[in-house]
Amino acid sequence: MRIIVPFANRDPKSRLAPVLSAAERREFALAMLCDVVDAVERTGYEPELLLDEPLDLEATIDGGPSAAVVDDAAALLGSLPTTVDDRPLTVAVNAALDDGPDQAVVMADLALATPTALRRLFAAGGDVAIVPGRGGGTNALVVRDPAFFVDYHGASYRDHRQIVADAGLSADVVDSMRLATDVDEPSDLLEVLLHGDGRARQWLVEAGFEVDDGDDGRVGVRRGLK
Amino acid sequence: MRIIVPFANRDPKSRLAPVLSAAERREFALAMLCDVVDAVERTGYEPELLLDEPLDLEATIDGGPSAAVVDDAAALLGSLPTTVDDRPLTVAVNAALDDGPDQAVVMADLALATPTALRRLFAAGGDVAIVPGRGGGTNALVVRDPAFFVDYHGASYRDHRQIVADAGLSADVVDSMRLATDVDEPSDLLEVLLHGDGRARQWLVEAGFEVDDGDDGRVGVRRGLK
């Protein structure tokens, strides 16, 4: 099975702009990508990167809190098969899926992904196995039938179920909190701090983020001085 | 195994106040409780209710969109073993756990709970099996060792892991999006609309809620006219 990991290198994680600078977002996104690649590799598969523009790791160093992420990324990602496709995500993924059946698509911001969770996805049944993301998205897919295609705009989980039904295919939905957690917004950082164990969590800790165990019963994150 | 379902009958789901009236919140909370009870029963267990005040189903009728929920709840919940304990949740649950080992605690707002997801919890290993909730909470537990106790204040998932470690016990963490989704805030309603298949989803639909597939790529909920 071919495992595609799309990664938006151009202005990544823009919804984290309220809490992270542009340079920090590039580094943090890279740390999450490395965690995902690492988790996929530990299932025994070699992931393929699908980029919207070539990785320019040097450009991520300025202003970020840790150059170690960059060195680590260069070592981990440099040798992976890579496709650069600057078209929108949906178009680029469908072009990749056209290469044949038995492919998986795993998003690069699944900072809680573990080999155990990914193995559950890869072993799921159905012509299409779907991992819904929090908020209506689709975080990962296994596609075994060429009649399926992706449409990532809007509530893609619902749309993907409809595409499966319209094509007369079967779907298996994988129930995983780890894979359902894509990191888009500041509130998602709490999940990484609480449940992550890789580079992304480490990056947040080094950047001063910590769990804010509020007195009102709600838990959040705060960023302290380094 | 004894399955305890705590239910806060007094001003339930206060964080949904921006989108639901007090009467609506009582009905919606009741619909979720019924879904959870139903899912537990379909695993072959009979749940026990742990209430902070007696259920007064008649009082929920005024102003809510559907009295069918109340009739259904009366039929489903009326015959269940029930304990009323008006102390804080942590104290009440610990008092129940004192009755002996092999007990589960499943929160009443897990509107996406299915028998399949609950079976994974009940079959999990460890002296304590924990289902983290989104946002640092603890949505469900299986407790097999009397040295464990709960503390639901704040980031309880982290605290429960610490209590397990301090007592020299083993923990198994259950990775389920369905069980990780407790319904506290308006954004959680989207998850119920997309992934629910029971009374809670039906209640939202009848109350006019629908998925708002925003043009900006973010998905939310809106409430239309009935």
Side-chain angles (χ1 to χ4, degrees):
Chain A
M1 187 163 59
R2 180 192 190 195
I3 319 283
I4 302 163
V5 180
F7 180 65
N9 198 29
R10 199 185 297 150
D11 190 31
K13 298 290 121 197
S14 54
R15 282 148 71 184
L16 291 175
V19 296
L20 295 178
S21 72
E24 287 174 337
R25 285 186 278 119
R26 289 176 69 93
E27 273 208 9
F28 181 59
L30 210 50
M32 293 198 288
L33 170 64
C34 288
D35 281 346
V36 170
V37 163
D38 205 25
V40 170
E41 289 187 338
R42 285 158 62 199
T43 68
Y45 290 100
E46 180 182 54
E48 285 190 39
L49 301 183
L50 176 58
L51 307 175
D52 59 350
E53 62 181 40
L55 276 181
D56 179 3
L57 295 177
E58 294 305 315
T60 68
I61 293 178
D62 291 346
S66 162
V69 171
V70 174
D71 292 340
D72 184 39
L76 190 68
L77 307 176
S79 60
L80 294 180
T82 300
T83 300
V84 177
D85 188 330
D86 66 359
R87 293 175 292 177
L89 178 66
T90 292
V91 180
V93 169
N94 281 327
L97 292 178
D98 282 346
D99 291 342
D102 292 322
Q103 302 194 57
V105 184
V106 178
M107 291 301 162
D109 60 353
L110 307 187
L112 306 186
T114 57
T116 301
L118 288 170
R119 275 186 212 108
R120 282 178 56 211
L121 166 64
F122 298 157
D127 297 315
V128 181
I130 307 182
V131 182
R134 168 120 188 143
T138 304
N139 284 1
L141 290 161
V142 170
V143 182
R144 298 198 178 86
D145 191 292
F148 181 81
F149 58 93
V150 299
D151 179 358
Y152 282 109
H153 185 78
S156 67
Y157 172 72
R158 196 177 51 173
D159 297 339
H160 288 148
R161 293 295 300 263
Q162 192 62 50
I163 291 166
V164 166
D166 290 347
L169 303 176
S170 62
D172 196 357
V173 178
V174 178
D175 175 25
S176 165
M177 180 274 277
R178 289 191 166 276
L179 300 183
T181 305
D182 49 329
V183 179
D184 284 321
E185 312 213 358
S187 67
D188 299 322
L189 301 183
L190 174 63
E191 307 303 324
V192 181
L193 284 174
L194 285 171
H195 303 291
D197 64 356
R199 296 164 183 83
R201 180 179 187 282
Q202 186 61 33
W203 190 93
L204 288 175
V205 169
E206 288 177 7
F209 286 89
E210 56 191 6
V211 175
D212 183 4
D213 208 337
D215 290 334
D216 62 353
R218 299 194 209 191
V219 183
V221 293
R222 68 178 162 227
R223 189 171 190 176
L225 295 174
K226 283 183 286 184
Chain B
M1 188 164 57
R2 181 192 190 196
I3 319 283
I4 303 163
V5 180
F7 180 64
N9 198 31
R10 199 185 299 152
D11 189 31
K13 298 290 122 199
S14 54
R15 281 149 69 183
L16 290 175
V19 295
L20 295 177
S21 73
E24 288 174 336
R25 285 185 278 120
R26 288 177 69 92
E27 274 208 9
F28 181 59
L30 211 49
M32 292 198 290
L33 171 64
C34 288
D35 282 345
V36 170
V37 163
D38 206 25
V40 170
E41 288 186 338
R42 285 158 64 200
T43 68
Y45 290 99
E46 180 182 54
E48 285 191 39
L49 301 183
L50 178 58
L51 307 175
D52 57 351
E53 62 181 40
L55 276 180
D56 179 1
L57 294 177
E58 295 304 316
T60 68
I61 293 179
D62 291 346
S66 162
V69 171
V70 174
D71 293 340
D72 184 39
L76 189 68
L77 307 176
S79 60
L80 294 180
T82 300
T83 300
V84 176
D85 189 330
D86 66 359
R87 294 175 292 177
L89 178 65
T90 292
V91 180
V93 169
N94 281 327
L97 291 178
D98 282 345
D99 291 344
D102 291 322
Q103 303 194 57
V105 184
V106 178
M107 291 300 161
D109 61 352
L110 307 187
L112 306 187
T114 57
T116 300
L118 288 170
R119 274 186 213 107
R120 281 177 56 209
L121 167 63
F122 298 157
D127 297 315
V128 181
I130 307 181
V131 182
R134 168 122 187 139
T138 304
N139 284 1
L141 290 160
V142 170
V143 181
R144 298 199 179 86
D145 191 292
F148 181 81
F149 58 93
V150 299
D151 179 358
Y152 283 110
H153 185 78
S156 67
Y157 171 72
R158 197 178 49 173
D159 296 341
H160 289 148
R161 293 294 302 262
Q162 192 62 51
I163 291 165
V164 166
D166 289 347
L169 303 177
S170 63
D172 196 358
V173 179
V174 178
D175 175 26
S176 166
M177 182 273 278
R178 290 192 166 275
L179 300 183
T181 305
D182 49 330
V183 179
D184 284 322
E185 312 213 358
S187 66
D188 299 322
L189 301 182
L190 173 63
E191 308 303 323
V192 181
L193 284 173
L194 286 172
H195 303 292
D197 64 357
R199 297 163 181 83
R201 181 179 186 282
Q202 186 61 33
W203 191 93
L204 289 176
V205 169
E206 287 176 7
F209 286 90
E210 56 191 6
V211 174
D212 184 3
D213 208 337
D215 290 335
D216 62 353
R218 299 195 209 192
V219 183
V221 294
R222 67 179 162 226
R223 189 171 191 176
L225 295 173
K226 283 182 286 182

